[in-house]
Amino acid sequence: MGGTEMNEIEKNNHIIESRAEQLAERIEALVVEARKKIASTVNVAMVYTYYEVGRYIIEDEQGGKVRAEYGKKVLKRVSERLTERLGKGWSEENLRLMRKFYTLYSHGQSPINKIQTSGLEIQSPKIQTSGSEIYKSTDSDSQWSLNQRFTLPWSHYLILTHVKDSDARRFYEIEAFKQQWSKRQLQRQIGSGLYERLALSCDKDEVMRLATEGQVVEKPSDIIKDPVVLEFIGLKPDASYSESDLEGAIISRLQDFLLEMGKGFLFEARQKRFTFEERHFYVDLVLYNRLLQCYVLVDLKMDDLTHQDLGQMQMYVNYYDRFVKEDFEKPTIGILLCERKNDALVELTLPKDANIYAQQYALCLPDKAVLQQKLREWIAEFKQKEDEV
């Protein structure tokens, strides 16, 4: 066989392999996406089912009253029969959780209603997908009385039922859906008091917005929370460590750090060097926020924050604004992540329009009760000022 023929065969084989690979990739992507949608559909359908189970239990308990004298005995019998007929998952405790779930979510529309979702339409006994219809039932014996959408897995709603404050619960539901938080991430954000920390960094109108829209990032101050909680990096508050130890620990848990910093953060570099007038300077962490379309420079400080630290960060920000950022990008933000800060010093040192923020960090989870009390006092103070006006 001649060389020309061999080349032609190799060329044909290459074309066949290339086309086969492309087609296989397209089919694989289609199947993977379909599997995700099927799993999501099943998960959401189960949430609606458990909601209705809760409704049935409440209605049975003397016309919708949450408590009834015979309630515990009835649930125990129901659990035994359902377990026998349907298998695991129908314990008395689970039935009580479904009742609690219905009680919490039956008094108003879920905030998810206000953001674009793809949901299901339940038509008993069949399940079919729909992008716009609310869950209904054509079975006259089982009317689906839902005015809201559920988009999270049941495991997430089990966690949310433990959040007592309704505004905080709505906030976490929105953010878990928008950010696609895992169960572990949702637990961690609730445990770290994310809602309270963001609320204490907002003005009153923005606090109310958190409960209906989640965290909206439109300006630099929207990404600030106090404190930044770094319990996941493994450093102990009472242990001796250096700034380089802190930086190394953050880098080793970078995904968790970016999640804690907030929405839209991307990592670019650590110890980023730039040279000015033959001197080298190093920024501890260079991040980028895709929502604000700007660089975010982070410097780590172990000791008390000084005016020299603030001046140095101002220089870093000025350099990036003048020599690094593109014309379409927004002004650079500087964040000094420090163990202790002095708000009066920051206010005195920096001009009012400075894009620089000092944030404390904590190496252990905050006391949520303290955060909640601070938030209540903060809101009460605002209401008192309004009444005086």
Side-chain angles (χ1 to χ4, degrees), residues 3 9 33 35 202 238 275-276 296 306 311 342 363 368 388:
I9 292 172
E33 185 63 25
R35 286 176 178 173
C202 297
D238 55 351
T275 303
F276 183 71
V296 180
T306 68
N342 184 321
L363 296 178
K368 281 192 67 176
E388 290 174 355

Side-chain angles (χ1 to χ4, degrees), residues 91-144:
S91 67
E92 189 178 348
E93 181 184 359
N94 283 345
L95 290 175
R96 284 197 297 269
L97 287 171
M98 294 172 200
R99 178 176 59 184
K100 182 179 180 181
F101 177 57
Y102 174 80
T103 303
L104 290 174
Y105 282 88
S106 61
H107 298 299
Q109 292 193 349
S110 164
I112 298 297
N113 231 2
K114 301 186 178 183
I115 56 182
Q116 185 177 2
T117 67
S118 59
L120 302 173
E121 180 182 357
I122 298 275
Q123 291 188 335
S124 181
K126 296 180 180 178
I127 299 175
Q128 62 184 29
T129 58
S130 168
S132 60
E133 295 293 327
I134 302 294
Y135 274 58
K136 309 173 188 176
S137 173
T138 55
D139 183 349
S140 60
D141 295 328
S142 175
Q143 294 300 319
W144 290 79

Side-chain angles (χ1 to χ4, degrees), residues 275-298:
T275 303
F276 183 71
E277 292 188 347
E278 299 183 355
R279 289 186 61 193
H280 299 313
F281 299 92
Y282 298 86
V283 184
D284 289 341
L285 300 170
V286 178
L287 310 178
Y288 193 86
N289 191 285
R290 61 182 182 81
L291 299 178
L292 294 175
Q293 289 190 305
C294 68
Y295 284 100
V296 180
L297 311 181
V298 180

Side-chain angles (χ1 to χ4, degrees), residues 80-305:
E80 292 170 354
R81 294 178 185 183
L82 290 177
T83 301
E84 181 181 342
R85 298 172 188 178
L86 301 175
K88 295 180 180 180
W90 299 99
S91 67
E92 189 178 348
E93 181 184 359
N94 283 345
L95 290 175
R96 284 197 297 269
L97 287 171
M98 294 172 200
R99 178 176 59 184
K100 182 179 180 181
F101 177 57
Y102 174 80
T103 303
L104 290 174
Y105 282 88
S106 61
H107 298 299
Q109 292 193 349
S110 164
I112 298 297
N113 231 2
K114 301 186 178 183
I115 56 182
Q116 185 177 2
T117 67
S118 59
L120 302 173
E121 180 182 357
I122 298 275
Q123 291 188 335
S124 181
K126 296 180 180 178
I127 299 175
Q128 62 184 29
T129 58
S130 168
S132 60
E133 295 293 327
I134 302 294
Y135 274 58
K136 309 173 188 176
S137 173
T138 55
D139 183 349
S140 60
D141 295 328
S142 175
Q143 294 300 319
W144 290 79
S145 58
L146 299 183
N147 296 316
Q148 72 266 51
R149 287 186 182 275
F150 299 119
T151 58
L152 300 175
W154 175 241
S155 59
H156 286 57
Y157 283 109
L158 284 179
I159 296 169
L160 290 171
T161 57
H162 294 288
V163 180
K164 294 181 180 180
D165 183 87
S166 58
D167 287 341
R169 187 167 58 250
R170 285 193 293 268
F171 165 79
Y172 289 120
E173 184 183 359
I174 293 171
E175 287 301 307
F177 171 73
K178 283 185 174 180
Q179 305 302 314
Q180 293 295 291
W181 286 343
S182 66
K183 177 182 174 181
R184 182 186 68 82
Q185 289 171 333
L186 175 60
Q187 287 174 317
R188 193 263 166 190
Q189 296 290 32
I190 293 173
S192 70
L194 176 62
Y195 170 76
E196 289 80 9
R197 288 185 291 135
L198 284 174
L200 288 168
S201 303
C202 297
D203 62 33
K204 193 195 70 170
D205 291 335
E206 288 175 326
V207 171
M208 305 307 158
R209 196 177 177 187
L210 283 175
T212 56
E213 300 179 41
Q215 184 186 10
V216 179
V217 178
E218 296 175 333
K219 57 186 184 299
S221 59
D222 291 335
I223 64 174
I224 300 302
K225 62 173 76 76
D226 199 10
V228 174
V229 180
L230 304 178
E231 92 292 344
F232 51 84
I233 64 176
L235 294 178
K236 302 300 180 184
D238 55 351
S240 176
Y241 60 91
S242 65
E243 289 178 3
S244 60
D245 292 332
L246 178 62
E247 180 186 324
I250 287 173
I251 293 298
S252 69
R253 297 292 298 272
L254 187 58
Q255 182 178 359
D256 292 317
F257 176 69
L258 294 178
L259 178 66
E260 169 60 17
M261 287 298 291
K263 297 173 72 168
F265 277 100
L266 305 172
F267 175 76
E268 179 171 299
R270 66 183 292 195
Q271 290 299 313
K272 180 73 173 183
R273 189 183 80 175
F274 66 88
T275 303
F276 183 71
E277 292 188 347
E278 299 183 355
R279 289 186 61 193
H280 299 313
F281 299 92
Y282 298 86
V283 184
D284 289 341
L285 300 170
V286 178
L287 310 178
Y288 193 86
N289 191 285
R290 61 182 182 81
L291 299 178
L292 294 175
Q293 289 190 305
C294 68
Y295 284 100
V296 180
L297 311 181
V298 180
D299 239 10
L300 307 174
K301 298 297 175 185
M302 294 287 301
D303 301 319
D304 291 338
L305 194 64

